[in-house]
mmCIF file of all heavy atoms in Angstrom:
data_model
loop_
_atom_site.group_PDB
_atom_site.id
_atom_site.type_symbol
_atom_site.label_atom_id
_atom_site.label_comp_id
_atom_site.label_asym_id
_atom_site.label_seq_id
_atom_site.Cartn_x
_atom_site.Cartn_y
_atom_site.Cartn_z
ATOM 1 N N ASN U 278 25.933 21.786 14.936
ATOM 2 C CA ASN U 278 24.552 21.984 14.966
ATOM 3 C C ASN U 278 24.028 22.364 13.580
ATOM 4 O O ASN U 278 24.846 22.546 12.678
ATOM 5 C CB ASN U 278 24.130 23.064 16.035
ATOM 6 C CG ASN U 278 24.666 24.415 15.725
ATOM 7 O OD1 ASN U 278 24.850 24.740 14.573
ATOM 8 N ND2 ASN U 278 24.863 25.239 16.713
ATOM 9 N N LEU U 279 22.688 22.451 13.460
ATOM 10 C CA LEU U 279 22.186 22.637 12.118
ATOM 11 C C LEU U 279 22.643 23.948 11.440
ATOM 12 O O LEU U 279 22.950 23.976 10.213
ATOM 13 C CB LEU U 279 20.640 22.679 12.168
ATOM 14 C CG LEU U 279 19.934 22.478 10.893
ATOM 15 C CD1 LEU U 279 20.215 21.136 10.306
ATOM 16 C CD2 LEU U 279 18.441 22.761 11.040
ATOM 17 N N GLU U 280 22.814 24.975 12.216
ATOM 18 C CA GLU U 280 23.279 26.256 11.658
ATOM 19 C C GLU U 280 24.746 26.097 11.064
ATOM 20 O O GLU U 280 24.984 26.568 9.949
ATOM 21 C CB GLU U 280 23.234 27.365 12.688
ATOM 22 C CG GLU U 280 23.738 28.678 12.186
ATOM 23 C CD GLU U 280 23.137 29.865 12.864
ATOM 24 O OE1 GLU U 280 21.969 29.748 13.370
ATOM 25 O OE2 GLU U 280 23.782 30.907 12.959
ATOM 26 N N GLU U 281 25.554 25.459 11.826
ATOM 27 C CA GLU U 281 26.958 25.260 11.361
ATOM 28 C C GLU U 281 26.977 24.403 10.099
ATOM 29 O O GLU U 281 27.717 24.615 9.159
ATOM 30 C CB GLU U 281 27.757 24.605 12.465
ATOM 31 C CG GLU U 281 27.971 25.445 13.668
ATOM 32 C CD GLU U 281 28.571 24.702 14.867
ATOM 33 O OE1 GLU U 281 28.179 23.520 15.108
ATOM 34 O OE2 GLU U 281 29.425 25.248 15.538
ATOM 35 N N ILE U 282 26.120 23.335 10.142
ATOM 36 C CA ILE U 282 26.069 22.440 8.943
ATOM 37 C C ILE U 282 25.582 23.254 7.768
ATOM 38 O O ILE U 282 26.070 23.127 6.658
ATOM 39 C CB ILE U 282 25.108 21.269 9.255
ATOM 40 C CG1 ILE U 282 25.728 20.379 10.306
ATOM 41 C CG2 ILE U 282 24.806 20.431 7.970
ATOM 42 C CD1 ILE U 282 24.762 19.249 10.831
ATOM 43 N N PHE U 283 24.536 24.028 7.943
ATOM 44 C CA PHE U 283 23.948 24.801 6.888
ATOM 45 C C PHE U 283 24.973 25.728 6.246
ATOM 46 O O PHE U 283 25.163 25.748 5.027
ATOM 47 C CB PHE U 283 22.733 25.574 7.354
ATOM 48 C CG PHE U 283 22.192 26.542 6.410
ATOM 49 C CD1 PHE U 283 21.764 26.105 5.173
ATOM 50 C CD2 PHE U 283 22.137 27.832 6.708
ATOM 51 C CE1 PHE U 283 21.236 27.038 4.210
ATOM 52 C CE2 PHE U 283 21.680 28.770 5.741
ATOM 53 C CZ PHE U 283 21.204 28.351 4.500
ATOM 54 N N VAL U 284 25.647 26.477 7.091
ATOM 55 C CA VAL U 284 26.618 27.428 6.580
ATOM 56 C C VAL U 284 27.779 26.708 5.817
ATOM 57 O O VAL U 284 28.116 27.083 4.719
ATOM 58 C CB VAL U 284 27.182 28.322 7.725
ATOM 59 C CG1 VAL U 284 28.350 29.156 7.231
ATOM 60 C CG2 VAL U 284 26.113 29.216 8.271
ATOM 61 N N ALA U 285 28.269 25.626 6.395
ATOM 62 C CA ALA U 285 29.349 24.892 5.774
ATOM 63 C C ALA U 285 28.836 24.313 4.451
ATOM 64 O O ALA U 285 29.615 24.329 3.474
ATOM 65 C CB ALA U 285 29.837 23.716 6.685
ATOM 66 N N ASN U 286 27.681 23.820 4.377
ATOM 67 C CA ASN U 286 27.092 23.256 3.193
ATOM 68 C C ASN U 286 26.924 24.296 2.076
ATOM 69 O O ASN U 286 27.342 24.046 0.937
ATOM 70 C CB ASN U 286 25.643 22.725 3.576
ATOM 71 C CG ASN U 286 25.255 21.524 2.751
ATOM 72 O OD1 ASN U 286 25.805 21.341 1.655
ATOM 73 N ND2 ASN U 286 24.403 20.709 3.270
ATOM 74 N N VAL U 287 26.404 25.424 2.481
ATOM 75 C CA VAL U 287 26.249 26.503 1.436
ATOM 76 C C VAL U 287 27.576 26.971 0.939
ATOM 77 O O VAL U 287 27.765 27.129 -0.267
ATOM 78 C CB VAL U 287 25.421 27.607 2.051
ATOM 79 C CG1 VAL U 287 25.461 28.898 1.224
ATOM 80 C CG2 VAL U 287 23.936 27.260 2.260
ATOM 81 N N MET U 288 28.582 27.167 1.834
ATOM 82 C CA MET U 288 29.886 27.652 1.387
ATOM 83 C C MET U 288 30.517 26.660 0.457
ATOM 84 O O MET U 288 31.026 27.007 -0.586
ATOM 85 C CB MET U 288 30.819 27.828 2.608
ATOM 86 C CG MET U 288 30.364 28.951 3.541
ATOM 87 S SD MET U 288 29.718 30.382 2.762
ATOM 88 C CE MET U 288 31.161 31.357 2.592
ATOM 89 N N HIS U 289 30.322 25.338 0.811
ATOM 90 C CA HIS U 289 30.926 24.326 -0.047
ATOM 91 C C HIS U 289 30.271 24.357 -1.458
ATOM 92 O O HIS U 289 30.993 24.260 -2.481
ATOM 93 C CB HIS U 289 30.689 22.952 0.638
ATOM 94 C CG HIS U 289 31.178 21.805 -0.174
ATOM 95 N ND1 HIS U 289 32.410 21.676 -0.652
ATOM 96 C CD2 HIS U 289 30.475 20.711 -0.673
ATOM 97 C CE1 HIS U 289 32.529 20.548 -1.344
ATOM 98 N NE2 HIS U 289 31.372 19.936 -1.374
ATOM 99 N N HIS U 290 29.033 24.455 -1.483
ATOM 100 C CA HIS U 290 28.334 24.461 -2.787
ATOM 101 C C HIS U 290 28.658 25.666 -3.579
ATOM 102 O O HIS U 290 28.708 25.641 -4.851
ATOM 103 C CB HIS U 290 26.841 24.273 -2.618
ATOM 104 C CG HIS U 290 26.393 22.875 -2.475
ATOM 105 N ND1 HIS U 290 25.835 22.161 -3.492
ATOM 106 C CD2 HIS U 290 26.564 21.959 -1.460
ATOM 107 C CE1 HIS U 290 25.642 20.935 -3.139
ATOM 108 N NE2 HIS U 290 26.015 20.831 -1.919
ATOM 109 N N ARG U 291 28.821 26.815 -2.945
ATOM 110 C CA ARG U 291 29.126 27.996 -3.680
ATOM 111 C C ARG U 291 30.540 27.932 -4.261
ATOM 112 O O ARG U 291 30.790 28.457 -5.344
ATOM 113 C CB ARG U 291 29.064 29.245 -2.726
ATOM 114 C CG ARG U 291 27.571 29.605 -2.463
ATOM 115 C CD ARG U 291 27.461 30.855 -1.737
ATOM 116 N NE ARG U 291 26.043 31.172 -1.463
ATOM 117 C CZ ARG U 291 25.612 32.229 -0.807
ATOM 118 N NH1 ARG U 291 26.488 33.073 -0.309
ATOM 119 N NH2 ARG U 291 24.375 32.429 -0.590
ATOM 120 N N GLU U 292 31.412 27.283 -3.504
ATOM 121 C CA GLU U 292 32.795 27.093 -4.020
ATOM 122 C C GLU U 292 32.835 26.227 -5.272
ATOM 123 O O GLU U 292 33.529 26.490 -6.214
ATOM 124 C CB GLU U 292 33.696 26.390 -2.955
ATOM 125 C CG GLU U 292 34.278 27.437 -2.013
ATOM 126 C CD GLU U 292 34.801 26.723 -0.731
ATOM 127 O OE1 GLU U 292 35.099 25.561 -0.797
ATOM 128 O OE2 GLU U 292 34.894 27.459 0.348
#
Side-chain angles (χ1 to χ4, degrees):
Chain U
N278 67 25
L279 195 65
E280 179 153 331
E281 295 169 318
I282 293 172
F283 171 59
V284 171
N286 211 336
V287 166
M288 295 321 270
H289 175 58
H290 274 258
R291 286 187 180 178
E292 276 163 22

